[in-house]
Amino acid sequence: IMLGFSDSLNGEVKPRILLMGLRRSGKSSIQKVVFHKMSPNETLFLESTNKICREDVSSSSFVSFQIWDFPGQIDFFDPTFDYEMIFRGTGALIFVIDAQDDYVEALSRLHLTVTRAYKVNPDISFEVFIHKVDGLSDDHKIEKQRDIHKRANDDLADAGLERIHLSFYLTSIYDHSIFEAFSKVVQKLIPQLPTLENLLNIFISNSGIEKAFLFDVVSKIYIATDSSPVDMQTYELCCDMIDVVIDISCIYGLADSEAGLPYDKESMAIIHLNNTTVMYLKEVTKFLAMVCFLRKDSFERKGLIDYNFHCFKKAIQEVFDVRLKVQQNRKLLSQRRWSKLTMTNGVIGNPH
C-alpha cells in the first residue's frame, strides 16, 4: 500500500498534510467541504473512511500540497504500518477532536500520535482542530478549548516533551471557521510567506488600503495577508465576495462551449458596503485573487491603487519565477543523482 507514495524524481517535494483523529470526528467532511466544495449538509451521507486516502492539492502557484486522510482506527503498532516513512515527509499534522463527544480517548490518541511523529520529524507543525463546535455556545466553546489545551499540554509536560508546540483552532464546517483554520495551517507550509506579507504591507501603505488578503480562489484559503490582525467578519465578507464573483461569472462569463473556472485576468469586482467601506477584488494569477478593504474617500484614488496593484502583481510573478527556477534545479539534481545511482548499481551488479 505504501509503494509509490514517494516521488523522488519529481522536482518539487510537496508538503504533506495529515488529517488524523478518531472515527466519526469529521476528517473526511473537512476535506470535502474545503477542497471539493461539498455542501456541509451533504457530508452527513459520507461513509466512514476505511483506508488512507491521498489527494494532491495544486490549485495555485503557492498552494501545492498533499492531503492524507487517515481512518480513525489506524494502529501505529501494526508492523505493516510504516509510520516513519509517512511522518518523515510531513509538513503539518492536523488532529481532529469532536468537541460534542467525550474526548478522553481522543486526547490519549493525540498524545500517542504527536509523540511518535515528533521523534521521526521534529519539524512537523502540530495543529489541533476542536471540531463540530457549531452546536455549542460561545462560553462552552472557550471552556472546551481551555480544557483540551490544558490536558494536551499537561500530557506532553508529564512525558518531558514541553518543547512540542500544539496550535488549537475552534472549527465547524457550517461556517467559515474551517477555512480560516486551514488558511493558518497552509501558510506555515509556504516558505515565501514573509515576502508575500511584506509585499502586501508595502501595497496597502502606499494605496490608502486598510486590509488586504491574497486568496486561493478555488478553496477560499487565504495564503497571505498584511501584518494587521485578521477579523473573522472581514474574512467572511471576503469569502462571500469570491462566491458572488464566481457565481455571477458562471452565469454570465462563460460561453456554452467553455468549461472550467470562470476566472481570468479580466476578473474584477467592486462592492460598496453601507458603512462607507469599499471591497475591491482583482485577479493576481490564474488561481489567486486579492481582496482589499478601504474607505470610500480612499477609493477615489483608484488610478493610484491600480498602478500600485500592477507593481504588486509583477513582484508576485517574480517570486513565482524564482520558486519555479529552484524547483527546476532540484529536479535536475535529483535526476543526476538517480542516473549516477543506477549507473553505480549497474556496475556493482554486473562486474563482468
Side-chain angles (χ1 to χ4, degrees):
I1 187 170
M2 295 300 169
L3 291 171
F5 274 4
S6 166
D7 198 0
S8 58
L9 278 180
N10 189 0
E12 181 187 12
V13 179
K14 288 186 182 178
R16 193 180 294 155
I17 296 178
L18 308 185
L19 267 175
M20 303 183 104
L22 298 183
R23 292 180 76 241
R24 313 303 301 169
S25 57
K27 303 179 295 296
S28 301
S29 302
I30 290 171
Q31 187 186 353
K32 296 290 182 193
V33 168
V34 176
F35 297 104
H36 293 272
K37 297 287 141 277
M38 184 181 276
S39 150
N41 293 323
E42 286 178 58
T43 62
L44 297 169
F45 306 106
L46 284 176
E47 289 182 17
S48 190
T49 307
N50 55 17
K51 66 177 194 299
I52 298 172
C53 298
R54 185 184 75 152
E55 182 183 6
D56 279 352
V57 177
S58 316
S59 52
S60 93
S61 49
F62 290 101
V63 184
S64 183
F65 50 87
Q66 290 179 336
I67 288 193
W68 291 21
D69 183 4
F70 280 74
Q73 66 274 19
I74 204 132
D75 181 11
F76 285 108
F77 299 103
D78 187 337
T80 61
F81 180 68
D82 187 359
Y83 70 87
E84 283 201 16
M85 186 280 291
I86 290 169
F87 291 144
R88 210 175 292 123
T90 296
L93 190 157
I94 298 172
F95 195 91
V96 183
I97 295 177
D98 184 347
Q100 295 183 14
D101 203 2
D102 178 38
Y103 42 78
V104 174
E105 191 191 342
L107 283 167
S108 66
R109 178 63 68 93
L110 168 68
H111 181 75
L112 173 70
T113 307
V114 164
T115 47
R116 283 276 168 117
Y118 185 80
K119 278 177 190 163
V120 177
N121 181 1
D123 296 326
I124 293 177
S125 297
F126 294 106
E127 322 285 350
V128 181
F129 285 8
I130 302 165
H131 196 49
K132 302 186 186 177
V133 295
D134 42 277
L136 308 176
S137 68
D138 287 348
D139 289 345
H140 204 172
K141 283 179 195 176
I142 293 161
E143 194 185 310
K144 289 256 184 193
Q145 184 170 9
R146 197 179 292 135
D147 186 41
I148 289 171
H149 184 282
K150 186 179 184 308
R151 289 199 203 183
N153 283 315
D154 285 352
D155 287 347
L156 289 174
D158 292 345
L161 293 167
E162 298 96 331
R163 61 191 173 277
I164 298 179
H165 175 71
L166 304 176
S167 301
F168 295 86
Y169 308 86
L170 291 166
T171 60
S172 165
I173 56 171
Y174 290 95
D175 59 28
H176 292 91
S177 58
I178 191 64
F179 294 96
E180 195 185 12
F182 237 106
S183 298
K184 302 265 176 68
V185 171
V186 168
Q187 283 167 27
K188 293 179 186 177
L189 304 179
I190 300 171
Q192 298 85 0
L193 186 65
T195 310
L196 298 177
E197 283 180 358
N198 193 27
L199 287 171
L200 283 165
N201 284 334
I202 294 165
F203 171 69
I204 68 164
S205 62
N206 288 298
S207 309
I209 287 168
E210 292 183 1
K211 186 75 188 156
F213 293 88
L214 200 57
F215 267 91
D216 178 56
V217 176
V218 177
S219 63
K220 287 186 292 195
I221 284 174
Y222 71 94
I223 63 166
T225 183
D226 58 88
S227 49
S228 63
V230 174
D231 169 38
M232 187 64 170
Q233 274 184 312
T234 309
Y235 175 68
E236 286 177 10
L237 280 169
C238 289
C239 292
D240 291 344
M241 187 181 195
I242 290 168
D243 282 340
V244 167
V245 171
I246 297 298
D247 288 350
I248 291 176
S249 300
C250 278
I251 299 166
Y252 300 107
L254 280 179
D256 292 339
S257 57
E258 288 181 274
L261 192 69
Y263 177 79
D264 57 29
K265 61 179 184 291
E266 301 298 324
S267 294
M268 184 269 286
I270 300 162
I271 295 178
H272 291 263
L273 303 178
N274 58 8
N275 61 354
T276 73
T277 302
V278 177
M279 294 176 70
Y280 191 27
L281 180 145
K282 293 270 283 179
E283 184 263 5
V284 179
T285 70
K286 194 181 173 190
F287 296 104
L288 293 180
M290 182 196 274
V291 183
C292 311
F293 286 79
L294 63 159
R295 294 264 153 240
K296 210 170 186 176
D297 51 354
S298 301
F299 195 63
E300 288 168 8
R301 302 192 297 275
K302 185 173 175 293
L304 171 71
I305 293 166
D306 286 346
Y307 175 75
N308 287 342
F309 175 78
H310 174 71
C311 298
F312 171 83
K313 192 173 173 176
K314 250 171 74 176
I316 288 281
Q317 194 55 52
E318 283 172 29
V319 173
F320 179 52
D321 289 345
V322 167
R323 187 170 182 267
L324 216 58
K325 278 177 189 162
V326 169
Q327 285 172 15
Q328 285 166 349
N329 289 342
R330 276 188 192 153
K331 194 170 186 177
L332 275 169
L333 271 170
S334 60
Q335 281 173 339
R336 280 177 192 156
R337 282 198 201 113
W338 184 254
S339 57
K340 272 184 188 172
L341 194 69
T342 49
M343 280 172 68
T344 312
N345 285 348
V347 170
I348 291 167
N350 189 10
H352 307 298

